[in-house]
Amino acid sequence: MKEWRGIPREEIPWFPSIDAEKCIGCKACIEFCKNDVLEYVEATVKTVVKHPYNCVVECRTCSRLCPTEAISFPDEKEFASFIKEKLSGVPR
Ligand code: SF4
Ligand code: SF4
């Protein structure tokens, strides 16, 4: 399992969420991100999150590229306190 700052990546809830109602299937996000996080689904003409834990912790670039603001991430402050708490339990 990959780690981030000593924490197993899959214990870190950082990944995009895509609002299917807002996604227009333009692929701007998927064309940018090479981390195999996102997948374009022909049948629905929308992009979905396929491998959430491949997302780079604290990256938000795809959400900035989305023309319809369909992509969101965890709240910054809540995430910062989550990480702080987690790190306090990591042996050094
Ligand atoms: S936030 Fe960054 S790493 Fe994560 S899916 Fe978007 S572009 Fe890819
Ligand atoms: S950039 Fe936004 S609208 Fe375009 S495919 Fe990605 S999530 Fe959908």
Side-chain angles (χ1 to χ4, degrees), residues 17-20 22-31 38-40 45-48 62-71:
S17 298
I18 300 181
D19 182 340
K22 289 186 182 171
C23 177
I24 55 169
C26 71
K27 299 188 189 172
C29 53
I30 205 162
E31 280 166 6
L38 309 165
E39 180 178 55
Y40 179 73
V45 200
K46 290 180 189 294
T47 295
V48 295
C62 55
S63 67
R64 297 198 188 102
L65 300 173
C66 179
T68 62
E69 298 183 356
I71 307 175

Side-chain angles (χ1 to χ4, degrees), residues 1-4 7-11:
M1 196 191 273
K2 284 185 288 181
E3 292 189 342
W4 184 79
I7 307 166
R9 178 60 183 92
E10 296 194 359
E11 289 181 17

Side-chain angles (χ1 to χ4, degrees), residues 12 14-15 18-20 27-28 38 43-44 52-53 55-57 63 67-68 72 74 76-78 80 84 88 91-92:
I12 304 173
W14 183 273
F15 43 78
I18 300 181
D19 182 340
K27 299 188 189 172
L38 309 165
T44 57
Y53 298 110
C55 181
V56 176
V57 177
S63 67
T68 62
S72 58
E76 214 164 306
K77 279 191 186 146
E78 278 177 25
K84 202 173 162 191
S88 65
R92 284 162 204 280

